[in-house]
Amino acid sequence: MTPIILLDNLAEFIREKTKDIKLQVRTRSESAEDKVREAEIYKMRLPNKDAQTQRVPYILIQLLGGEDNKEEREPEESTCQIRIVVAAYAEDAGAGSTDVLNLILQIRSELKKAGILGKTFCLQLPLEYIIYPDSPQPYYFGEMITNWSLPIVKREVESIWQ
């Protein structure tokens, strides 16, 4: 359950920290207010295949994997890796790539400032990000890979072999 709680906390954190960034939306409407909005946040998967282009701009938060480990003479540790995918739309290629970069840098900056989410999840380095140079116009993509330390799950019953 702990990585699920981290995903929920991260989704809320990103929503709050990016809500003022308005991005272009592909629309048939002539209304100016229909042409921009904040990025929608999704966890693990998009709602359907069409959402890859129809729901842009979006931020997709995915758990890639986790590890529980204990090295000799070291405390037990639990970690997981979360991928944050950013998608933007723009007719202008430079603007599209810049929108993706802007969102990623905003998320990066806010995560590094906070360092901890929900009082229990600690951001660990490295924090990696990339803007895809070959995104299919007019859609632009980038991603960030984050590493997190998680609370340790303790046994409720002690082993008789310890």
Side-chain angles (χ1 to χ4, degrees):
M1 291 298 291
T2 305
I4 294 171
I5 295 168
L6 173 57
L7 284 173
D8 290 342
N9 286 341
L10 196 51
E12 188 55 39
F13 180 85
I14 291 172
R15 182 175 290 109
E16 179 63 29
K17 300 302 182 181
T18 62
K19 68 182 178 188
D20 295 330
I21 300 174
K22 304 300 183 201
L23 301 167
Q24 292 181 46
V25 177
R26 185 174 211 161
T27 180
R28 292 189 176 120
S29 170
E30 294 302 317
S31 169
E33 60 190 46
D34 290 340
K35 294 184 179 185
V36 295
R37 68 169 166 78
E38 65 191 61
E40 294 178 346
I41 311 288
Y42 296 98
K43 294 179 286 187
M44 292 305 290
R45 305 283 294 183
L46 295 172
N48 55 51
K49 185 170 175 55
D50 292 337
Q52 291 177 346
T53 55
Q54 300 302 317
R55 300 308 313 162
V56 172
Y58 63 78
I59 299 169
L60 175 62
I61 305 167
Q62 299 175 307
L63 176 74
L64 294 180
E67 179 179 24
D68 293 321
N69 195 7
K70 175 155 178 23
E71 298 289 331
E72 191 174 325
R73 298 186 196 152
E74 294 291 327
E76 183 177 355
E77 63 181 10
S78 183
T79 60
C80 73
Q81 194 170 58
I82 302 228
R83 174 183 179 204
I84 302 168
V85 178
V86 173
Y89 166 84
E91 291 296 331
D92 176 338
S97 294
T98 301
D99 286 347
V100 170
L101 180 60
N102 186 33
L103 267 178
I104 285 179
L105 292 178
Q106 176 70 13
I107 295 166
R108 174 187 165 268
S109 173
E110 294 296 335
L111 284 174
K112 288 187 78 172
K113 278 194 270 186
I116 297 174
L117 287 183
K119 299 182 183 177
T120 53
F121 306 106
C122 291
L123 179 66
Q124 303 292 315
L125 297 178
L127 191 150
E128 303 172 51
Y129 56 95
I130 184 171
I131 310 305
Y132 297 129
D134 298 326
S135 293
Q137 287 183 326
Y139 302 101
Y140 302 90
F141 300 91
E143 73 177 61
M144 180 183 311
I145 304 295
T146 61
N147 297 287
W148 297 88
S149 63
L150 306 172
I152 304 299
V153 176
K154 298 283 187 182
R155 285 186 184 181
E156 292 181 8
V157 177
E158 291 295 319
S159 170
I160 60 173
W161 292 283
Q162 286 185 334

